[in-house]
Protein backbone atom coordinates (compact mmCIF):
# COMPACT_ATOMS: atom_id res chain seq x y z
CA UNK A 1 0.00 0.00 0.00
CA UNK A 2 1.26 3.54 -0.70
CA UNK A 3 2.78 5.30 2.30
CA UNK A 4 2.22 8.83 0.97
CA UNK A 5 -1.01 10.45 -0.21
CA UNK A 6 -1.51 10.94 -3.95
CA UNK A 7 -0.31 14.23 -5.42
CA UNK A 8 -3.03 16.84 -5.85
CA UNK A 9 -3.51 19.44 -8.52
CA UNK A 10 -2.41 22.96 -7.62
CA UNK A 11 -5.66 24.55 -6.41
CA UNK A 12 -3.89 27.91 -6.00
CA UNK A 13 -3.95 28.48 -9.76
CA UNK A 14 -5.83 31.63 -10.76
CA UNK A 15 -8.28 29.68 -12.91
CA UNK A 16 -9.02 27.04 -10.26
CA UNK A 17 -12.74 26.40 -9.82
CA UNK A 18 -15.03 23.89 -8.18
CA UNK A 19 -16.09 21.22 -10.73
CA UNK A 20 -19.62 21.45 -12.07
CA UNK A 21 -22.19 19.50 -10.04
CA UNK A 22 -19.67 18.90 -7.26
CA UNK A 23 -20.43 19.38 -3.57
CA UNK A 24 -19.83 22.86 -2.16
CA UNK A 25 -16.85 21.66 -0.14
CA UNK A 26 -15.15 19.97 -3.13
CA UNK A 27 -11.53 21.21 -3.55
CA UNK A 28 -11.04 23.77 -6.28
CA UNK A 29 -9.12 22.41 -9.28
CA UNK A 30 -7.43 24.22 -12.18
CA UNK A 31 -9.25 24.54 -15.48
CA UNK A 32 -8.28 21.64 -17.75
CA UNK A 33 -5.57 22.42 -20.27
CA UNK A 34 -3.47 20.65 -22.88
CA UNK A 35 0.30 20.76 -22.30
CA UNK A 36 2.82 20.98 -25.11
CA UNK A 37 6.21 20.07 -23.71
CA UNK A 38 9.22 20.79 -25.93
CA UNK A 39 12.35 18.77 -25.19
CA UNK A 40 15.96 19.41 -26.12
CA UNK A 41 19.24 17.68 -25.30
CA UNK A 42 20.34 19.59 -22.25
CA UNK A 43 22.84 22.00 -20.83
CA UNK A 44 25.16 22.31 -17.84
CA UNK A 45 24.22 24.83 -15.16
CA UNK A 46 27.61 26.50 -15.48
CA UNK A 47 31.06 26.15 -17.04
CA UNK A 48 32.86 25.22 -13.80
CA UNK A 49 34.29 21.75 -13.20
CA UNK A 50 31.51 20.37 -10.98
CA UNK A 51 28.66 21.71 -13.12
CA UNK A 52 30.27 20.17 -16.18
CA UNK A 53 30.99 16.90 -14.37
CA UNK A 54 27.37 16.51 -13.21
CA UNK A 55 26.06 17.19 -16.68
CA UNK A 56 28.52 14.94 -18.49
CA UNK A 57 28.03 12.13 -15.98
CA UNK A 58 24.27 12.15 -16.57
CA UNK A 59 24.67 12.40 -20.34
CA UNK A 60 27.39 9.78 -20.76
CA UNK A 61 25.75 7.36 -18.30
CA UNK A 62 22.67 7.10 -20.52
CA UNK A 63 22.56 3.60 -22.00
CA UNK A 64 20.93 5.01 -25.13
CA UNK A 65 24.02 7.17 -25.69
CA UNK A 66 26.80 4.81 -24.60
CA UNK A 67 25.57 1.22 -24.56
CA UNK A 68 28.62 -0.47 -23.05
CA UNK A 69 27.96 -2.64 -19.95
CA UNK A 70 28.02 -0.52 -16.77
CA UNK A 71 30.72 -2.68 -15.16
CA UNK A 72 32.98 -1.91 -18.09
CA UNK A 73 32.01 1.70 -18.85
CA UNK A 74 31.42 3.35 -15.46
CA UNK A 75 34.97 2.88 -14.09
CA UNK A 76 36.33 4.45 -17.29
CA UNK A 77 33.78 7.25 -17.22
CA UNK A 78 33.95 8.11 -13.53
CA UNK A 79 37.65 7.45 -13.05
CA UNK A 80 39.25 8.76 -16.23
CA UNK A 81 36.92 10.68 -18.56
CA UNK A 82 35.22 12.77 -15.87
CA UNK A 83 38.57 13.66 -14.35
CA UNK A 84 39.70 15.28 -17.59
CA UNK A 85 36.79 16.13 -19.87
CA UNK A 86 34.94 18.64 -17.63
CA UNK A 87 37.82 21.13 -17.88
CA UNK A 88 38.00 20.81 -21.66
CA UNK A 89 34.23 20.97 -22.13
CA UNK A 90 33.95 23.85 -19.64
CA UNK A 91 36.45 25.86 -21.66
CA UNK A 92 34.49 25.17 -24.86
CA UNK A 93 31.22 26.21 -23.23
CA UNK A 94 32.85 29.34 -21.79
CA UNK A 95 33.73 30.46 -25.33
CA UNK A 96 30.02 30.60 -26.29
CA UNK A 97 28.33 31.15 -22.89
CA UNK A 98 25.53 33.73 -22.63
CA UNK A 99 27.11 35.67 -19.77
CA UNK A 100 24.28 38.18 -19.52
CA UNK A 101 21.71 35.46 -18.76
CA UNK A 102 24.31 33.11 -17.23
CA UNK A 103 23.20 30.18 -19.37
CA UNK A 104 24.17 28.30 -22.50
CA UNK A 105 22.94 29.50 -25.90
CA UNK A 106 20.86 26.32 -26.15
CA UNK A 107 18.94 27.33 -23.02
CA UNK A 108 18.42 30.88 -24.28
CA UNK A 109 17.24 29.79 -27.71
CA UNK A 110 14.94 27.05 -26.37
CA UNK A 111 13.31 29.64 -24.08
CA UNK A 112 12.84 31.95 -27.08
CA UNK A 113 11.31 29.12 -29.13
CA UNK A 114 8.97 28.28 -26.25
CA UNK A 115 7.87 31.89 -25.88
CA UNK A 116 7.24 32.25 -29.63
CA UNK A 117 5.25 29.02 -29.81
CA UNK A 118 3.29 29.91 -26.68
CA UNK A 119 2.24 33.22 -28.22
CA UNK A 120 1.28 31.58 -31.50
CA UNK A 121 -0.64 28.66 -29.97
CA UNK A 122 -2.43 30.81 -27.42
CA UNK A 123 -3.60 33.07 -30.23
CA UNK A 124 -4.89 30.01 -32.09
CA UNK A 125 -6.46 28.16 -29.17
CA UNK A 126 -7.50 30.90 -26.79
CA UNK A 127 -5.35 29.94 -23.84
CA UNK A 128 -6.36 26.27 -23.80
CA UNK A 129 -2.76 25.16 -24.45
CA UNK A 130 0.18 25.50 -22.06
CA UNK A 131 3.62 25.47 -23.72
CA UNK A 132 6.81 24.77 -21.79
CA UNK A 133 10.21 23.16 -22.32
CA UNK A 134 12.49 20.68 -20.62
CA UNK A 135 15.95 19.20 -21.06
CA UNK A 136 16.83 15.52 -21.26
CA UNK A 137 20.00 16.16 -19.25
CA UNK A 138 20.48 18.94 -16.73
CA UNK A 139 17.81 21.50 -15.90
CA UNK A 140 14.91 21.99 -16.17
CA UNK A 141 14.32 18.26 -16.00
CA UNK A 142 11.56 16.46 -17.85
CA UNK A 143 10.14 15.18 -14.55
CA UNK A 144 9.87 18.66 -13.04
CA UNK A 145 8.04 20.05 -16.06
CA UNK A 146 5.60 17.13 -16.30
CA UNK A 147 4.85 17.67 -12.58
CA UNK A 148 4.31 21.39 -13.19
CA UNK A 149 1.93 20.75 -16.09
CA UNK A 150 -0.13 18.27 -14.09
CA UNK A 151 -0.29 20.67 -11.14
CA UNK A 152 -1.57 23.41 -13.44
CA UNK A 153 -4.37 21.29 -14.84
CA UNK A 154 -2.93 19.63 -17.94
CA UNK A 155 -4.95 16.44 -18.44
CA UNK A 156 -3.32 15.84 -21.83
CA UNK A 157 0.37 16.37 -22.73
CA UNK A 158 1.93 16.42 -26.19
CA UNK A 159 5.65 15.69 -25.83
CA UNK A 160 7.77 17.14 -28.64
CA UNK A 161 11.48 16.15 -28.83
CA UNK A 162 13.07 18.85 -30.99
CA UNK A 163 15.06 16.45 -33.16
CA UNK A 164 14.04 16.29 -36.84
CA UNK A 165 15.69 12.89 -37.43
CA UNK A 166 15.05 9.84 -35.22
CA UNK A 167 17.86 8.25 -33.24
CA UNK A 168 17.76 6.08 -30.17
CA UNK A 169 20.28 8.44 -28.56
CA UNK A 170 18.05 11.49 -29.10
CA UNK A 171 14.30 11.00 -29.55
CA UNK A 172 14.10 7.61 -27.83
CA UNK A 173 15.95 8.68 -24.69
CA UNK A 174 13.90 11.90 -24.50
CA UNK A 175 10.73 9.82 -24.71
CA UNK A 176 12.14 7.47 -22.05
CA UNK A 177 12.47 10.39 -19.64
CA UNK A 178 8.92 11.52 -20.42
CA UNK A 179 7.46 8.06 -19.85
CA UNK A 180 9.38 7.69 -16.58
CA UNK A 181 7.99 11.04 -15.44
CA UNK A 182 4.46 9.83 -16.15
CA UNK A 183 5.11 6.76 -13.98
CA UNK A 184 5.44 9.06 -10.96
CA UNK A 185 2.03 10.67 -11.49
CA UNK A 186 -0.90 9.30 -9.49
CA UNK A 187 -3.35 10.82 -11.95
CA UNK A 188 -1.62 10.42 -15.28
CA UNK A 189 -2.47 12.76 -18.14
CA UNK A 190 -3.22 11.34 -21.56
CA UNK A 191 0.01 11.45 -23.56
CA UNK A 192 1.21 11.70 -27.15
CA UNK A 193 4.69 12.03 -28.62
CA UNK A 194 5.61 13.81 -31.85
CA UNK A 195 7.19 11.69 -34.57
CA UNK A 196 10.42 12.76 -36.32
CA UNK A 197 9.85 15.41 -38.95
CA UNK A 198 12.98 14.99 -41.10
CA UNK A 199 10.96 15.05 -44.35
CA UNK A 200 8.32 17.60 -43.39
CA UNK A 201 7.90 20.01 -46.30
CA UNK A 202 7.63 23.11 -44.11
CA UNK A 203 10.76 22.15 -42.13
CA UNK A 204 12.66 21.58 -45.40
CA UNK A 205 11.46 24.93 -46.70
CA UNK A 206 12.65 26.66 -43.51
CA UNK A 207 16.07 25.05 -43.99
CA UNK A 208 16.17 26.18 -47.61
CA UNK A 209 15.25 29.74 -46.66
CA UNK A 210 18.08 29.81 -44.12
CA UNK A 211 20.55 28.67 -46.80
CA UNK A 212 19.31 31.23 -49.30
CA UNK A 213 19.57 34.02 -46.75
CA UNK A 214 23.08 32.98 -45.72
CA UNK A 215 24.25 32.70 -49.33
CA UNK A 216 22.87 36.16 -50.09
CA UNK A 217 25.20 37.59 -47.44
CA UNK A 218 28.42 35.91 -48.68
CA UNK A 219 31.09 37.73 -50.65
CA UNK A 220 31.15 34.86 -53.16
CA UNK A 221 28.74 31.97 -53.58
CA UNK A 222 30.07 28.89 -51.74
CA UNK A 223 31.31 26.04 -53.92
CA UNK A 224 29.50 23.46 -51.83
CA UNK A 225 27.08 23.16 -48.89
CA UNK A 226 28.09 20.68 -46.20
CA UNK A 227 25.12 19.26 -44.26
CA UNK A 228 26.76 18.21 -41.01
CA UNK A 229 24.71 15.92 -38.75
CA UNK A 230 25.62 14.74 -35.28
CA UNK A 231 27.27 11.33 -35.57
CA UNK A 232 26.48 7.92 -34.11
CA UNK A 233 28.52 4.72 -33.89
CA UNK A 234 28.07 2.73 -37.11
CA UNK A 235 27.17 -0.25 -34.93
CA UNK A 236 23.92 1.45 -33.89
CA UNK A 237 22.84 1.39 -37.53
CA UNK A 238 24.21 -2.02 -38.48
CA UNK A 239 23.24 -3.96 -35.34
CA UNK A 240 20.30 -2.00 -33.91
CA UNK A 241 18.65 -0.88 -37.12
CA UNK A 242 18.63 2.79 -36.11
CA UNK A 243 17.08 4.78 -39.02
CA UNK A 244 19.06 7.96 -38.29
CA UNK A 245 21.56 7.60 -41.15
CA UNK A 246 18.84 7.15 -43.79
CA UNK A 247 16.75 10.01 -42.43
CA UNK A 248 19.74 12.38 -42.50
CA UNK A 249 20.43 11.55 -46.13
CA UNK A 250 16.78 12.06 -47.02
CA UNK A 251 16.77 15.49 -45.37
CA UNK A 252 19.80 16.45 -47.46
CA UNK A 253 18.18 15.14 -50.65
CA UNK A 254 14.94 17.02 -50.01
CA UNK A 255 16.86 20.20 -49.21
CA UNK A 256 18.82 19.82 -52.45
CA UNK A 257 15.59 19.38 -54.43
CA UNK A 258 13.95 22.36 -52.76
CA UNK A 259 16.96 24.53 -53.61
CA UNK A 260 16.99 23.24 -57.20
CA UNK A 261 20.60 22.07 -56.98
CA UNK A 262 22.47 19.06 -58.30
CA UNK A 263 24.57 16.55 -56.35
CA UNK A 264 27.80 18.50 -56.87
CA UNK A 265 26.54 21.37 -54.71
CA UNK A 266 25.69 19.56 -51.48
CA UNK A 267 27.05 16.70 -49.34
CA UNK A 268 26.20 14.90 -46.09
CA UNK A 269 28.75 14.49 -43.28
CA UNK A 270 28.76 13.58 -39.58
CA UNK A 271 30.46 15.28 -36.65
CA UNK A 272 31.20 14.84 -32.93
CA UNK A 273 32.89 11.43 -33.00
CA UNK A 274 33.52 10.08 -29.49
CA UNK A 275 35.51 7.01 -28.53
CA UNK A 276 37.59 4.49 -30.50
CA UNK A 277 34.99 2.71 -32.66
CA UNK A 278 33.90 3.72 -36.16
CA UNK A 279 31.12 6.29 -36.38
CA UNK A 280 28.97 7.34 -39.33
CA UNK A 281 31.15 8.76 -42.10
CA UNK A 282 32.43 10.88 -43.70
CA UNK A 283 33.57 12.83 -40.65
CA UNK A 284 32.87 16.54 -41.08
CA UNK A 285 36.19 17.70 -39.67
CA UNK A 286 38.09 15.56 -42.22
CA UNK A 287 35.74 16.15 -45.15
CA UNK A 288 35.95 19.95 -45.04
CA UNK A 289 39.74 19.70 -45.23
CA UNK A 290 39.44 17.29 -48.17
CA UNK A 291 37.09 19.71 -49.93
CA UNK A 292 39.59 22.55 -49.54
CA UNK A 293 42.41 20.37 -50.88
CA UNK A 294 40.20 19.33 -53.82
CA UNK A 295 39.72 22.96 -54.84
CA UNK A 296 36.48 23.90 -53.10
CA UNK A 297 37.94 26.86 -51.28
CA UNK A 298 34.59 28.39 -50.38
CA UNK A 299 32.14 26.27 -48.39
CA UNK A 300 29.06 26.68 -46.24
CA UNK A 301 28.11 24.37 -43.37
CA UNK A 302 24.61 23.79 -42.02
CA UNK A 303 23.51 21.49 -39.16
CA UNK A 304 20.00 20.21 -40.02
CA UNK A 305 19.84 17.81 -37.04
CA UNK A 306 19.92 20.64 -34.50
CA UNK A 307 16.82 22.73 -33.86
CA UNK A 308 18.85 25.30 -31.90
CA UNK A 309 22.45 26.47 -31.93
CA UNK A 310 24.50 24.81 -29.22
CA UNK A 311 28.02 23.69 -28.32
CA UNK A 312 28.16 21.36 -31.36
CA UNK A 313 27.40 24.19 -33.76
CA UNK A 314 28.75 27.39 -32.22
CA UNK A 315 31.97 25.86 -30.94
CA UNK A 316 32.59 22.64 -32.87
CA UNK A 317 31.46 23.75 -36.33
CA UNK A 318 32.18 27.45 -36.19
CA UNK A 319 35.54 27.01 -34.46
CA UNK A 320 37.09 23.51 -34.75
CA UNK A 321 35.68 22.53 -38.14
CA UNK A 322 36.29 26.02 -39.53
CA UNK A 323 39.91 25.77 -38.38
CA UNK A 324 40.33 22.40 -40.13
CA UNK A 325 39.02 23.86 -43.38
CA UNK A 326 41.16 26.97 -43.26
CA UNK A 327 44.27 25.02 -42.26
CA UNK A 328 43.80 22.91 -45.41
CA UNK A 329 43.72 26.01 -47.60
CA UNK A 330 40.07 27.04 -47.51
CA UNK A 331 39.47 30.75 -47.92
CA UNK A 332 35.75 31.33 -47.21
CA UNK A 333 33.85 29.48 -44.49
CA UNK A 334 30.17 30.28 -43.98
CA UNK A 335 28.25 28.84 -41.06
CA UNK A 336 24.50 28.73 -41.66
CA UNK A 337 22.86 29.14 -38.23
CA UNK A 338 20.31 26.66 -36.93
CA UNK A 339 16.66 27.54 -37.45
CA UNK A 340 16.36 28.67 -33.81
CA UNK A 341 13.33 30.96 -33.31
CA UNK A 342 13.11 32.25 -36.87
CA UNK A 343 9.51 32.83 -38.05
CA UNK A 344 9.73 30.06 -40.68
CA UNK A 345 10.86 27.55 -38.05
CA UNK A 346 8.25 28.59 -35.49
CA UNK A 347 5.56 28.34 -38.17
CA UNK A 348 6.73 24.83 -39.08
CA UNK A 349 6.82 23.66 -35.45
CA UNK A 350 3.41 25.21 -34.74
CA UNK A 351 1.88 23.40 -37.69
CA UNK A 352 3.40 20.08 -36.58
CA UNK A 353 1.97 20.67 -33.10
CA UNK A 354 -1.42 21.52 -34.59
CA UNK A 355 -1.38 18.27 -36.59
CA UNK A 356 -0.61 16.29 -33.45
CA UNK A 357 -3.31 17.99 -31.36
CA UNK A 358 -6.11 16.90 -33.67
CA UNK A 359 -8.86 15.15 -31.76
CA UNK A 360 -7.75 16.84 -28.55
CA UNK A 361 -8.73 20.39 -29.35
Amino acid sequence: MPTTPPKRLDSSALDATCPAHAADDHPRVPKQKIGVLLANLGTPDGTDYWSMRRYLSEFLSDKRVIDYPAWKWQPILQGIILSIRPQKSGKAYASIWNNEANESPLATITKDQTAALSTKLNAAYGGKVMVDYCMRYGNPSTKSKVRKMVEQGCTKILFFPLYPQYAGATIATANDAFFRALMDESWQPAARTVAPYFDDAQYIDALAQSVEQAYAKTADKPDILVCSYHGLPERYLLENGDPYHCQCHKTTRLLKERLGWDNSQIITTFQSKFGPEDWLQPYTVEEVARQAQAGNKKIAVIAPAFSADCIETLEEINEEIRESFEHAGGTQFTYVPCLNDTPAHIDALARIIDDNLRGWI
Side-chain angles (χ1 to χ4, degrees):
M1 297 292 293
T3 58
T4 56
K7 298 169 183 173
R8 302 179 66 89
L9 298 180
D10 183 5
S11 61
S12 65
L14 293 177
D15 60 358
T17 60
C18 186
H21 311 300
D24 292 340
D25 62 348
H26 191 288
R28 293 165 62 86
V29 296
K31 185 177 180 180
Q32 291 188 4
K33 304 181 186 70
I34 296 172
V36 175
L37 185 55
L38 311 175
N40 217 318
L41 178 72
T43 173
D45 294 324
T47 62
D48 60 283
Y49 173 83
W50 288 109
S51 293
M52 291 304 312
R53 183 177 178 115
R54 284 192 300 271
Y55 173 71
L56 291 172
S57 180
E58 183 182 9
F59 175 43
L60 297 175
S61 292
D62 187 345
K63 293 285 287 185
R64 294 275 195 181
V65 176
I66 305 292
D67 65 354
Y68 300 146
W71 65 264
K72 179 180 181 180
W73 173 240
Q74 283 298 320
I76 298 172
L77 175 63
Q78 301 296 332
I80 301 174
I81 295 174
L82 293 181
S83 296
I84 301 171
R85 194 172 180 89
Q87 292 97 328
K88 180 180 179 181
S89 295
K91 183 177 180 181
Y93 268 97
S95 71
I96 63 166
W97 200 252
N98 180 348
N99 292 308
E100 183 177 350
N102 192 28
E103 61 188 15
S104 71
L106 178 65
T108 303
I109 294 166
T110 306
K111 288 179 181 178
D112 291 342
Q113 292 171 326
T114 302
L117 283 167
S118 182
T119 299
K120 197 170 188 68
L121 294 177
N122 274 297
Y125 301 125
K128 296 178 182 179
V129 173
M130 172 184 176
V131 184
D132 209 338
Y133 77 97
C134 64
M135 298 294 182
R136 173 59 186 87
Y137 314 104
N139 296 306
S141 69
T142 305
K143 181 178 179 178
S144 70
K145 288 305 179 80
V146 169
R147 179 90 283 274
K148 177 182 176 182
M149 284 188 160
V150 171
E151 287 177 341
Q152 295 191 10
C154 292
T155 57
K156 300 179 178 71
I157 298 178
L158 176 66
F159 186 68
F160 193 171
L162 292 176
Y163 305 102
Q165 299 79 21
Y166 179 94
T170 55
I171 289 180
T173 190
N175 286 341
D176 289 346
F178 177 55
F179 299 144
R180 281 195 293 269
L182 292 177
M183 291 173 64
D184 290 333
E185 294 302 323
S186 299
W187 186 355
Q188 288 183 331
R192 291 177 178 174
T193 60
V194 176
Y197 53 98
F198 63 97
D199 57 354
D200 180 84
Q202 202 166 345
Y203 156 69
I204 297 296
D205 187 63
L207 285 177
Q209 289 183 45
S210 72
V211 172
E212 291 165 344
Q213 291 164 7
Y215 272 44
K217 297 175 182 178
T218 59
D220 297 299
K221 181 181 177 180
D223 300 314
I224 196 165
L225 175 66
V226 178
C227 294
S228 181
Y229 298 84
H230 197 288
L232 287 176
E234 286 184 351
R235 176 169 50 82
Y236 290 14
L237 167 67
L238 300 175
E239 296 181 10
N240 302 340
D242 197 301
Y244 180 70
H245 183 260
C246 294
Q247 293 184 2
C248 292
H249 277 280
K250 187 169 184 180
T251 295
T252 300
R253 176 175 65 79
L254 293 173
L255 176 59
K256 176 197 70 175
E257 292 171 358
R258 161 60 180 78
L259 290 167
W261 293 357
D262 59 42
N263 291 335
S264 68
Q265 295 171 282
I266 189 169
I267 58 173
T268 296
T269 64
F270 298 90
Q271 63 182 87
S272 308
K273 181 180 183 297
F274 177 80
E277 62 182 309
D278 289 335
W279 280 40
L280 298 177
Q281 298 182 45
Y283 301 132
T284 304
V285 69
E286 297 176 0
E287 182 62 21
V288 296
R290 195 190 72 77
Q291 290 293 327
Q293 293 163 355
N296 289 325
K297 304 292 187 180
K298 303 182 293 294
I299 70 168
V301 180
I302 190 172
F306 297 96
S307 62
D309 275 307
C310 54
I311 190 72
E312 287 87 356
T313 63
L314 299 175
E315 195 276 336
E316 186 177 0
I317 291 179
N318 211 21
E319 294 182 21
E320 295 178 27
I321 290 170
R322 176 193 290 270
E323 182 180 343
S324 174
F325 174 69
E326 294 176 345
H327 183 74
T331 58
Q332 180 179 293
F333 183 97
T334 301
Y335 171 60
V336 181
C338 290
L339 295 178
N340 298 325
D341 63 338
T342 57
H345 191 211
I346 296 302
D347 286 347
L349 296 179
R351 202 221 72 252
I352 292 170
I353 291 169
D354 183 66
D355 289 346
N356 280 270
L357 290 179
R358 290 181 182 177
W360 273 6
I361 195 167

